Amino acid sequence: MTTFHMSQQEMLDIRAPARAEAIAGLRHQIAAYAQQAGAGEELADSIRLAVSEALSNVVVHAYVDRDGGDMMLEAWRDEDAHLVIVVRDEGAGLVPRRAKTPGMGLGLVLMAQMADGFTLCNREGIPGTAVELRFALARGAVPNPATD
Amino acid sequence: LVRVKLTGELDLAVAHLLGGRLSEFQDQQLAVRLDLSELEFMDSIWLNLVVRAADDARRDGWRFEVERDVSPPVGRLFELAGIESFLWGENDGSEPRANSRPPDRPPP
């Protein structure tokens, strides 16, 4: 069981079909959520790119051995003023395979570069992969009386 | 010269749109200049398409250029990926880099 440290801002918790057409909508939602949490424009740009890369990985890699599945996007602001974002799937997990990678593998590099914390792992006890991204909201933060 | 202006958001969902078209231009040896100045979003899949096109151009003598005046999100993506010098060389950036000798290998 995961324990969440909630701030006043409600946690973002979305499940959507793992299809390419769904990525843009989720990307917009996480950018809006990040800005509500206090992220500046440049940081929100980084967050939407990193999340888009994580979601693209789910669409391209997670369900290659079956007929589709879902992708889950969760986000919350922790007590240390970090935005924590988790992208999960219920696919095959991290397994060696010869995969055609349309992004040249750059997506993982970009996520690691942009985030202040980046973890990619198999989910514990259940099938699938989880990507956790942490962003310090102090990077380009804007005052947000609603959440501070 | 075909000037291709890309607008909106470019991600996995629309990745098929550019690759095929660029291949057609390359097959016909039509010079292409890409305008990314009003692009709101670009991901690594599109970055890969641009890098591959630039690399192909240098190998095959096809003229493919990216205008230096890119939108802020695209500029940050290029900077993160470290491909600015690959696309534009070390000049002052006032003009796109002409086709020249390919680098030893594509950028990471």
Side-chain angles (χ1 to χ4, degrees):
Chain A
M1 182 177 173
T2 307
T3 303
F4 297 114
H5 301 284
M6 297 293 295
S7 66
Q8 291 166 326
Q9 189 180 17
E10 202 170 312
M11 180 181 170
L12 186 71
D13 186 359
I14 306 171
R15 175 184 280 259
R19 290 203 298 260
E21 311 83 67
I23 294 173
L26 297 180
R27 184 168 68 231
H28 294 160
Q29 290 194 58
I30 194 63
Y33 184 87
Q35 288 188 304
Q36 282 172 14
E41 191 177 339
E42 193 168 323
L43 178 56
D45 272 354
S46 294
I47 289 169
R48 70 179 175 147
L49 176 56
V51 168
S52 194
E53 296 294 342
L55 295 169
S56 293
N57 278 345
V58 173
V59 173
V60 173
H61 298 295
Y63 300 108
V64 288
D65 57 347
R66 71 186 77 169
D67 191 19
D70 287 344
M71 51 191 177
M72 285 73 77
L73 172 63
E74 296 167 2
W76 65 94
R77 178 181 165 148
D78 72 7
E79 290 169 344
D80 299 323
H82 282 82
L83 190 65
V84 184
I85 300 168
V86 180
V87 173
R88 303 179 211 268
D89 63 68
E90 297 164 330
L94 298 169
V95 290
R97 67 165 74 99
R98 274 181 191 274
K100 258 193 155 181
T101 305
M104 214 164 48
L106 262 175
L108 292 176
V109 177
L110 291 174
M111 281 187 269
Q113 277 184 300
M114 286 183 288
D116 298 296
F118 169 65
T119 310
L120 168 66
C121 60
N122 282 322
R123 297 174 70 184
E124 281 184 38
I126 48 176
T129 306
V131 172
E132 182 178 297
L133 299 154
R134 295 174 65 84
F135 294 88
L137 289 165
R139 278 167 54 190
V142 292
N144 188 342
T147 55
D148 289 329
Chain B
L1 175 71
V2 180
R3 188 162 176 270
V4 181
K5 183 168 187 167
L6 298 172
T7 59
E9 301 191 19
L10 304 181
D11 65 7
L12 180 64
V14 290
H16 59 284
L17 295 178
L18 184 66
R21 186 56 68 89
L22 284 179
S23 295
E24 287 173 21
F25 291 144
Q26 187 177 359
D27 290 345
Q28 298 166 34
Q29 287 294 299
L30 280 172
V32 174
R33 176 176 285 196
L34 218 51
D35 177 351
L36 308 176
S37 62
E38 292 181 22
L39 207 49
E40 292 165 32
F41 179 82
M42 175 191 258
D43 71 2
S44 67
I45 292 162
W46 281 79
L47 177 68
N48 187 32
L49 287 172
V50 170
V51 169
R52 278 206 312 223
D55 199 39
D56 285 350
R58 291 178 195 187
R59 288 180 203 284
D60 303 342
W62 170 48
R63 189 175 160 203
F64 172 82
E65 299 168 347
V66 179
E67 290 186 2
R68 181 80 184 225
D69 178 26
V70 297
S71 67
V74 174
R76 282 195 283 275
L77 176 62
F78 284 4
E79 189 181 349
L80 272 170
I83 65 160
E84 292 158 307
S85 61
F86 175 69
L87 291 177
W88 299 309
E90 302 298 337
N91 60 23
D92 64 2
S94 56
E95 288 295 327
R97 187 181 189 182
N99 291 341
S100 60
R101 178 184 169 277
D104 293 336
R105 60 180 180 179

